Each structure stands twice: as C-alpha cells, then as structure tokens.
C-alpha cells in the first residue's frame, strides 16, 4: 500500500518479480478492495492476499502508526515475518513508522542496541558501496558504530562478497580536532579486526563513498542521511543542467538526438533505481525499505534484494557475526567481575 | 608559497588579479628566492615582497606549524593583517595550520567561541549556497551553530545580498528521533530571527544545499566536511562516467566532438573553481583559504573574494551582527541575575 504510488506501482513490480523468481511466493498485505483485482502474473498459486484494514500514511507521526493503526498493512506485513509466514517484508512506506513498527513487533537481536538502515550507493569502480546508518540513529556511541560495522559486514558477505572492507567515515586529517566518538570507534574497529570479527580498512572521507575505497562505510545516521540527501541533490542538479544545455537552441537539440545512445548509457550507469531497497539490520527478522518514490522497476529491485537476502540466510549471518563480536559489543557482560549493578 | 603548486600558480594569479583591480596592492609573503623574479604585471609599484624564511608543508601537523615554524609565510602573512599592513590574507596552504595560526595571531572576535570556515557551493538556481562550518569544529553546541548563522549572514550580506535566509541542516522528518543540539539550535535561531538578528528559514535537508532553498546552510564541521567531500566524490564520478561514455567507440567520440560546445557550457556551469576561496569567519581580521589544488584561475577567485570582502567591510559587518545578537550568543553575561558562578 505504501510509497507515493501504492499498488499501481507495487503490484506490477510483484508480477515482474514473480516472473523472474519461479520459486518465490508473495504475501500481498493491504486493503482488500485495493487487492481485489490483481494484474496478470499474480494468480492465487503464487500470491496470497493478507487483508489489513488500515494504511500508514507517508506523513503519519510514528506514534500514530505505532499506537493507533494496529491493523495497518505495514504492521500486518511485519507480523507475517514474526510468525514465520514470510521470510522478509518489503515496504515503500513511511521510514520512521516502518522502523518503529519493525522494532516493536520483531525486537532487536541480542547484542544490538539499535537497528540501522543500510543502502547501496553506486561507486566509480562499477560496484556499490554499502553505507549505514542512514537516519535511524542520530546520536551514536562508538559501540553503535561497531554494531553497524558488524551488521554491514554480514549484509555485504550475504551479497557474495566475503570479508568485505569497512571504512569509518571521518573528516580530513588537516582538521584540528578529532571527534571523540569517531576516535573510540576506530579503536573498537581495530580491536574487532584483530579478533577476526571484520576487515577494518581505517578512516575514510566523504569522497571515498563514491570512489569505492571500501565495501562498507559506517557513520551515524545524521551524517549518513545528510551525505545521501546531499548526493541526491547534486545528482539532480547535474542532471537538470545537462538536460538544459542539451535543450538550449537547435544545435544543442540536434546534438542531443545524435548523442542519445551515449547519454542513455551514461544515465543507466547512474540509475539509482538499480540500488533501491535498504536493509533494516539488527532486527529478529528481515525487513527492506523501498524508496517512497520508487517506480515498478525500482520496487522490483527492493523485492529482489529481500529475496536474495533471505536465500543467503542474512539473518543467521548477522546473528553469527554478532555472536562472534559479542565481547566487544557488550564488554560489561563479557567481564565476569562486572555486573550491570556492580 | 602554499597549495599543491606554490608560486607557479599563485604568482600568475596575482598578476591577473592586479590587472583587474587597479586600486589593489599585494604583499607577496614567502621565501625571497622564490619571489626573486616576478612575472610581468607584478612590479614594485603594485607589489611588495615580504620575506619569510619558512613554509608550512601541506602535511605538517598543526603543532609544528604553530610552534616550530614561527617565520612561516603563513604566519607572516597573517601578521600583516594583524599589524594593519594588509586588509586580508589569502593562503592555499594547510587548512588546519592556517586556522590555528590565524586564531593564535589574530584571536577570535568577542562573542565568538570558535571561528568557522564558510564556502560557496553552486546551486540549481544559478547562484551559490553559502555553507558553514566545513571542518573547523567537529562537535558543536547550539550556541556555536547560532554563531555560525550570524557570521554567515554577515558574509552573504557583504556579498550584496541583504537579509539572507538561513537554513539549519537537519535530517528528514520521517526519522524517529531528532538530535538535541539541532533542536535547541532551531529554538535559538527562531529567537534570533524574532529579535531581527537574522532571517531564519527553518530546517533544511541535504538536498536543499544544491537546490538553493536558502542562501546559507548551517551545520557542524563534521557534517559540513562530509557533505562537501561526498559531493566532490560524486561530481568526480559523474564527470568520469560522462568522459568514459563519450570516449567509448568511434560513434561516441564523433558525437563528443559535435557536442563539445554544449559539454563545455555544461562544464562551465559546474566549475567549482569559480567558487574558490573559503572565508575563515570569527577572527579579528580577514583570512581566506584557497583550495590546495587550485590553478591560477581558481586562486585568482580567492584573491577577488578576499578583496571584495575587505571592500564591503566584512569584518565590521561581522562585528555589528555579533553585537546585535550578543544577548543570545552569551545568555549568561546578558542576564544580570546570573553570574558564571551562580
């Protein structure tokens, strides 16, 4: 039901997804009237409609989504994961509500204080950099950043890249003062690397995200959100300038026609829709978030990402990584001389 | 002496600058041997060579630059400002060293705890967004962000845009928890706006920087540095992709030749060299920082920016703005019932 377009986008995406994944089965959660007539490809053998009487609006406050709309499509979908009826949930709805409901219904994994949002960003190496957190956590401790690094490593390894490198987002060495949280996170990440919990590259700067210096970039949610949205703004401006210059006068328009195949190849390389589908990590179940403005192609990518993650046992991988790193994640519990009250 | 290229870039830039500014006089600070033979246009009537025996290296730690190199070109140049021999100093050298030396030699203005670095970023409206801080301050209080807003307003007003709008960089409303510093900064900025200290637009997000939603975007130095460097990384990647696609095969190369004037117009609109020259604000003197990799054209822009700021009485404008906002900047001192000890 979610996103800017609702079923008019999600249903065609589901049909395309099922056509490409013969073993997949979808639970379509939403208002029965919206799911009464399904497009071709979404027959009863491959799809089950799960009714939900309410819908979380894109601008609903978290409290409303969580406390008042107890039969929302979002909540019912996540409950399918909790009950074991679904291996993963995908939503294009309100991010804050999705995170809050997922956290409430599924709970966080042991050793994880706060779930994080991880997404892929295309990089100059032709691959993608996985970045987290992207807005779920605005004030982070060093331990939180370590948790993000561990979970991000599990996510990227599940995607087929074993032993992925982790970069800690920091600012230029020329800057006078470091940030204490970042310095301490660097220490923790070095310790984690020595223990074999993950592969720590060291500090990276903002430009390393698009360079693809590391497979994973870890930062707090405020910084991650600003970096991502700033990039979206810049990409939008550059695209608009390019269109304007190729539309300015008859000569430019003629050249644009001739350059069409070149410009389309260029556009395809930057197509952020291919990377749609952010993972909510640290929960006792798989939940993926599609961009609210996703079209059918983009939403299908989010479905694929969720499917691939379930196939690659992402949840177990996250659990295993966290268990391995447990002494660093919860140093108090690891020291028998220290108890929470002592 | 500074920057990646030293006098081979700065001296031609100085000559071009003087040619365009008949009333300007330059003090060229550096090693006498490097300034022994000046290019045409830099004659004794328009230039004075001020000798300095040392040079701060781009990778010198701040302590070395500050304590060991007491006769560095950077320090001598800033001393010219302090002594009233120069109206502004411009350097392409080590940012951290420049800030530390400027702070040590010039001191901060009354009411300002920490100087900030402000730069212009081209926006989709065809103008530029002024952003600060960009890395001088990694952990900021709400009061620091207010100080940045006040100083940024003075800078943009000195550039000819009276009553510029200020945006506070924040993350999407869909996010669960706000950041306490940002919330409190928002309150302070609203109070400042009510008192007529500045024009506060409200919160902005990362994409608003390039949209040009506000004239000024205020953030802490960590976030500002990451946003700027992330943008540089993305712009570099997009440029590389565009060059690659227009160089792939004979057809694309032919089209690139035909599209050359269009692509050059596009490139010019994004030319960050035009915006070179960041202001170090909050000091008792004008100091401007050129990008280390600046070419002669870019360095000349930094000189122009410093000249224009001095002409527009930037220092007095900053002082006046700070004096006006003083009650909010230092609430303890403004309340006679409260003393620092009570």
């Amino acid at each position: 039901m979610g996103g800017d377009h609702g079923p008019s986008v999600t249903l065609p995406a589901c049909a395309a997804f099922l056509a490409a994944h013969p073993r997949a089965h979808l639970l379509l959660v939403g208002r029965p009237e919206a799911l009464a007539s399904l497009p071709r490809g979404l027959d009863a053998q491959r799809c089950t409609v799960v009714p939900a009487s309410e819908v979380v609006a894109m601008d609903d406050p978290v409290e409303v989504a969580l406390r008042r709309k107890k039969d929302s499509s979002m909540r019912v979908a996540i409950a399918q994961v909790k009950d074991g009826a679904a291996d993963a949930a995908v939503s294009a709805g309100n991010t804050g509500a999705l995170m809050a409901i997922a956290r409430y219904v599924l709970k966080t994994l042991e050793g994880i204080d706060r779930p994080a949002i991880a997404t892929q960003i295309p990089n100059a190496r032709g691959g993608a950099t996985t970045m987290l957190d992207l807005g779920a956590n605005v004030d982070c401790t060093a331990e939180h950043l370590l948790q993000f690094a561990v979970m991000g490593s599990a996510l990227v390894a599940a995607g087929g890249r074993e032993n992925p490198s982790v970069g800690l987002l920091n600012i230029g060495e020329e800057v006078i003062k470091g940030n204490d949280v970042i310095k301490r996170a660097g220490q923790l990440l070095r310790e984690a690397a020595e223990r074999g919990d993950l592969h720590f590259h060291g500090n990276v700067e903002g430009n390393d995200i698009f360079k693809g210096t590391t497979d994973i970039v870890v930062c707090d949610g405020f910084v991650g959100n600003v970096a991502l949205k700033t990039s979206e703004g810049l990409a939008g401006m550059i695209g608009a300038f390019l269109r304007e210059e190729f539309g300015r006068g008859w000569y430019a328009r003629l050249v644009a026609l001739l350059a069409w195949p070149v410009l389309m190849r260029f556009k395809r390389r930057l197509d952020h829709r291919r990377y749609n589908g952010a993972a909510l990590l640290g929960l006792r179940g798989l939940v993926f978030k599609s961009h609210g403005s996703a079209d059918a192609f983009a939403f299908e990518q989010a479905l694929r990402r969720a499917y691939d993650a379930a196939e690659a046992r992402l949840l177990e991988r996250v659990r295993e990584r966290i268990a391995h790193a447990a002494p660093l994640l919860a140093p108090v519990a690891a020291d028998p001389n220290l108890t929470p009250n002592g």
Side-chain angles (χ1 to χ4, degrees), chain A residues 144-181:
Chain A
H144 294 142
L145 293 171
L146 173 62
Q147 292 170 21
F148 300 166
V150 168
M151 297 192 294
S153 297
L155 177 66
V156 176
R161 185 164 179 89
E162 295 295 340
N163 203 24
S165 58
V166 173
L168 177 63
L169 192 57
N170 204 342
I171 58 175
E173 289 170 49
E174 76 268 16
V175 170
I176 307 166
K177 284 177 193 165
N179 171 318
D180 290 336
V181 170

Side-chain angles (χ1 to χ4, degrees), chain A residues 106-191:
Chain A
L106 296 173
K107 313 297 179 207
T108 53
L109 287 166
E110 202 175 337
I112 297 299
D113 298 324
R114 301 175 179 187
I117 303 176
T119 199
Q120 287 194 323
I121 293 169
N123 66 34
R125 294 191 176 187
T129 306
T130 296
M131 192 165 167
L132 73 166
D133 176 48
L134 290 172
N137 306 283
V138 291
D139 281 311
C140 289
T141 64
E143 285 75 15
H144 294 142
L145 293 171
L146 173 62
Q147 292 170 21
F148 300 166
V150 168
M151 297 192 294
S153 297
L155 177 66
V156 176
R161 185 164 179 89
E162 295 295 340
N163 203 24
S165 58
V166 173
L168 177 63
L169 192 57
N170 204 342
I171 58 175
E173 289 170 49
E174 76 268 16
V175 170
I176 307 166
K177 284 177 193 165
N179 171 318
D180 290 336
V181 170
I182 298 291
K183 284 182 192 160
R184 167 119 180 85
Q187 281 175 4
L188 278 177
L189 285 163
R190 273 187 293 277
E191 286 176 48

